């Protein structure tokens, strides 16, 4: 496991917005148009995925990017009315639910996003992986989601941009789907993108083609809420087991029985011993898909994570952090966003990508055949570090959420996306934060187009 000093070095810098000194201090809020452009700069990735230490020059690190301008609350027609009217939507926002769930989980979020974002958004709640279909494997669900998104795109000619908002297991489905939907031009050709050419480019289409497209559209936001990006293996990654070693070891052989192929993939024991588990492959570009390039094509990638009280997904796996990177979060919420306590920006970290060594092969075989052995622990530690190394090649905005003061804190996993408006309404501040984050990127696209 990396030491604290190495962790700081890999991030280059960590801009935290959770402390009371910065959150409510003299810096205040940046103007809406300016902050929109700054958010775009802070979240965007390089067009070349071979990040080096020289690329980590995020020039806006001194600015307090906490600023989230409050968007005007606007009532507007449903998606069908927009499609049939004069003002057709040009930005597709796909909502992806989690395990054993359905599009109804997004009832509140869908209504709130429509109210806040404006009529140029088509909000679409995916329905291709409902209930027990989530047991058939992350790859199978990802392919179904990709096919569903393509059908929506084909039926809506006005679409130019695309974003994803996913909850829990849906975040892994979405990561697989975007790799299926990804296509590139300049990235595949290996042609360098000159600075002068970039300055001359006054078209969003040109910029999108250099990063790559998703379903033929310009990718803007990739946002996940309490998603187990590193799987659920290891201590307190599946919190309802209470960190009890016996229960965590017992869960391994039971997972495939209870939740099918998806369970094996979440516990990193899928496939033959000599083949990397799916989640490790999804932290790289490999023969199965350009998973990292697809994520890198998005202008902004945001991870929302519950710091505690989430019975399904641990803080470490949902925020893609090492154990030593978890620090006690502030208890006070950001202004205007109740229960959102901290925002951290991590720029791309130089890495040669994840590896599946001979040591990992032996550890995986032991984990599959002897789940109670020490090799099981070793295997998890190896895989977690490699997945983090792969995903940290991209820049991420990490948002920590704490429901410690909520009336029902133990509902954190469902609070974070307000699954039920009456029971889980503690998460309304989180949804507002998501909406304003999306709005910021939408505004910045118009600013960038005019430069």
């Amino acid at each position: 496991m990396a030491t604290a000093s190495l962790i700081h070095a890999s991030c280059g810098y960590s801009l935290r917005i959770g402390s009371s000194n910065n959150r409510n201090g003299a810096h205040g809020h940046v103007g809406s148009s300016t902050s929109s452009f700054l958010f775009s700069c802070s979240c965007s990735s390089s067009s070349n995925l071979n990040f080096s230490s020289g690329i980590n020059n995020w020039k806006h690190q001194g600015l307090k990017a906490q600023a989230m301008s409050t968007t005007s609350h606007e009532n507007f027609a449903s998606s069908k009315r927009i499609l049939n009217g004069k003002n057709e939507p040009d930005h597709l926002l796909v909502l992806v639910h989690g395990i054993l769930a359905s599009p109804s989980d997004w009832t509140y979020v869908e209504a709130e996003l429509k109210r806040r974002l404006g009529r140029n958004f088509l909000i679409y709640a995916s329905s291709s992986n409902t209930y027990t279909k989530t047991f058939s494997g992350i790859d199978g669900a990802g392919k179904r989601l990709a096919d569903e998104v393509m059908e929506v795109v084909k039926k809506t000619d006005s679409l130019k941009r695309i974003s994803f908002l996913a909850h829990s297991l849906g975040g892994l489905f979405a990561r697989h789907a975007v790799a299926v939907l990804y296509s590139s031009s300049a990235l595949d050709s290996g042609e360098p993108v000159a600075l002068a050419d970039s300055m001359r480019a006054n078209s969003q289409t040109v910029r999108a083609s250099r990063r790559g497209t998703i379903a033929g559209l310009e990718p803007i936001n990739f946002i996940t809420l309490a998603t187990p990006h590193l799987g659920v293996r290891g201590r307190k990654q599946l919190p309802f087991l209470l960190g009890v070693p016996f229960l965590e070891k017992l869960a391994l052989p039971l997972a495939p029985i209870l939740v099918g192929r998806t369970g094996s993939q979440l516990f990193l024991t899928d496939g033959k011993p000599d083949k990397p588990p799916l989640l490790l492959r999804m932290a790289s570009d490999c023969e199965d898909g350009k998973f990292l390039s697809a994520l890198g094509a998005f202008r902004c990638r945001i991870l929302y994570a519950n710091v505690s009280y989430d019975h399904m997904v641990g803080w470490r796996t949902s925020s893609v952090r090492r154990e030593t990177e978890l620090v006690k979060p502030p208890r006070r919420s950001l202004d205007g966003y109740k229960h959102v306590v901290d925002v951290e920006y991590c720029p791309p970290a130089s890495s040669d990508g994840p590896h599946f060594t001979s040591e990992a092969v032996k550890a995986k075989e032991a984990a599959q055949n002897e789940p109670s052995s020490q090799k099981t622990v070793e295997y998890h530690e190896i895989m977690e570090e490699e997945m983090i190394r792969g995903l940290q090649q991209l820049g991420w905005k990490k948002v920590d959420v704490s429901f410690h003061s909520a009336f029902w804190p133990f509902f954190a996993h469902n609070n974070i996306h307000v699954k039920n408006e009456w029971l889980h309404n503690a998460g309304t501040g989180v949804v507002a934060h998501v909406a304003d984050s999306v709005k910021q990127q939408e505004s910045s696209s118009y600013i960038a187009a005019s430069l």
Side-chain angles (χ1 to χ4, degrees):
M1 303 296 272
T3 63
S5 60
L6 290 176
I7 291 164
H8 289 304
S10 68
C11 282
Y13 78 98
S14 295
L15 173 58
R16 289 192 171 273
I17 307 172
S19 65
S20 58
N21 291 339
N22 290 339
R23 185 162 58 251
N24 300 313
H27 293 283
H29 290 277
V30 181
S32 60
S33 61
T34 304
S35 62
S36 299
F37 180 70
L38 297 180
F39 269 103
S40 174
C41 293
S42 64
C43 291
S44 61
S45 63
S46 169
S47 59
N48 189 335
L49 288 176
N50 295 322
F51 295 108
S52 64
S53 58
I55 294 178
N56 296 338
N57 59 346
W58 289 26
K59 298 182 180 180
H60 301 286
Q61 57 183 327
L63 294 168
K64 304 300 178 183
Q66 171 206 350
M68 301 288 271
S69 61
T70 304
T71 59
S72 59
H73 292 178
E74 178 181 359
N75 293 318
F76 60 96
S78 66
S79 298
K80 291 183 179 179
R81 281 187 61 193
I82 294 173
L83 289 172
N84 295 328
K86 294 181 180 180
N87 297 320
E88 295 186 346
D90 61 7
H91 194 152
L92 173 62
L93 176 54
V94 182
L95 309 181
V96 189
H97 63 73
I99 195 166
L100 278 176
S102 72
S104 64
D105 283 26
W106 294 110
T107 299
Y108 172 82
V109 173
E110 187 173 4
E112 189 68 5
L113 290 177
K114 285 180 177 180
R115 185 172 73 90
R116 286 174 171 267
L117 295 182
R119 61 183 60 192
N120 61 313
F121 277 82
L122 172 59
I123 313 295
Y124 179 81
S126 168
S127 61
S128 59
N129 293 302
T130 54
Y131 304 115
T132 56
K133 286 183 180 179
T134 56
F135 296 168
S136 62
I138 294 167
D139 46 353
K143 180 60 168 62
R144 285 193 295 271
L145 175 60
D147 292 341
E148 184 180 15
V149 170
M150 280 306 306
E151 288 300 313
V152 175
V153 173
K154 289 176 182 177
K155 293 177 182 178
T156 317
D157 295 335
S158 60
L159 294 176
K160 297 179 181 178
R161 297 182 292 279
I162 187 170
S163 294
F164 285 80
L165 172 61
H167 174 248
S168 192
L169 183 61
L172 296 178
F173 294 167
R175 278 177 54 193
H176 198 283
V178 298
V180 175
L181 296 169
Y182 173 77
S183 62
S184 63
S185 54
L187 292 178
D188 282 342
S189 68
E191 297 176 2
V193 180
L195 178 60
D197 290 341
S198 178
M199 293 178 66
R200 285 195 297 268
N202 57 2
S203 167
Q204 293 181 51
T205 304
V206 172
R207 291 187 179 92
S209 68
R210 285 172 174 166
R211 294 199 312 267
T213 60
I214 302 295
L217 307 177
E218 179 186 6
I220 305 298
N221 299 285
F222 189 89
I223 305 172
T224 62
L225 310 170
T227 289
H229 290 285
L230 307 178
V232 296
R233 193 183 189 88
R235 185 173 180 271
K236 295 185 178 180
Q237 297 287 65
L238 200 58
F240 75 84
L241 299 178
L242 305 175
V244 179
F246 171 74
L247 294 179
E248 292 181 339
K249 292 173 183 176
L250 185 64
L252 177 59
L254 291 178
I257 299 173
L258 298 177
V259 291
R261 190 164 177 237
T262 301
S264 297
Q265 292 170 344
L266 287 173
F267 276 90
L268 313 177
T269 55
D270 53 298
K272 297 180 179 180
D274 60 346
K275 185 174 183 180
L278 177 63
L279 290 189
L280 181 61
R281 302 198 300 275
M282 286 174 58
S284 67
D285 285 351
C286 62
E287 59 184 10
D288 296 324
K290 292 192 173 182
F291 298 104
L292 203 64
S293 292
L295 281 176
F298 286 87
R299 182 180 298 164
C300 194
R301 291 161 298 280
I302 310 178
L303 305 174
Y304 286 79
N306 284 315
V307 303
S308 59
Y309 294 107
D310 190 321
H311 62 287
M312 293 294 291
V313 178
W315 184 15
R316 200 166 75 244
T317 185
S318 55
S319 64
V320 189
R321 291 185 176 111
R322 299 172 179 88
E323 185 71 34
T324 51
E325 292 177 298
L326 301 179
V327 296
K328 187 175 181 180
R331 297 184 67 84
R332 185 176 179 182
S333 302
L334 301 185
D335 289 343
Y337 306 107
K338 192 172 183 180
H339 301 303
V340 176
V341 296
D342 198 17
V343 179
E344 179 184 9
Y345 294 90
C346 286
S350 179
S351 170
D352 57 355
H355 299 283
F356 193 63
T357 63
S358 58
E359 180 185 11
V361 173
K362 294 178 182 178
K364 181 180 179 182
E365 185 174 13
Q368 289 176 325
N369 300 328
E370 305 173 58
S372 61
S373 69
Q374 180 62 29
K375 283 291 183 181
T376 298
V377 178
E378 294 176 5
Y379 174 60
H380 161 255
E381 292 178 348
I382 293 170
M383 289 299 95
E384 181 175 283
E385 178 62 26
E386 293 300 329
M387 285 186 287
I388 291 174
R389 280 162 48 86
L391 293 173
Q392 283 190 344
Q393 292 179 89
L394 301 174
W396 295 91
K397 174 182 173 183
K398 301 181 181 183
V399 182
D400 292 328
V401 178
S402 177
F403 290 105
H404 69 277
S405 62
F407 187 73
W408 302 106
F410 290 99
F411 290 168
H413 192 69
N414 291 326
N415 285 346
I416 200 168
H417 75 307
V418 192
K419 180 176 181 178
N420 179 287
E421 187 174 358
W422 177 79
L423 194 59
H424 308 113
N425 58 17
T428 56
V430 180
V431 175
H433 194 276
V434 170
D436 285 350
S437 295
V438 172
K439 192 71 172 179
Q440 290 285 346
Q441 289 300 320
E442 184 70 2
S443 300
S444 71
S445 66
Y446 293 112
I447 295 174
S450 64
L451 293 178

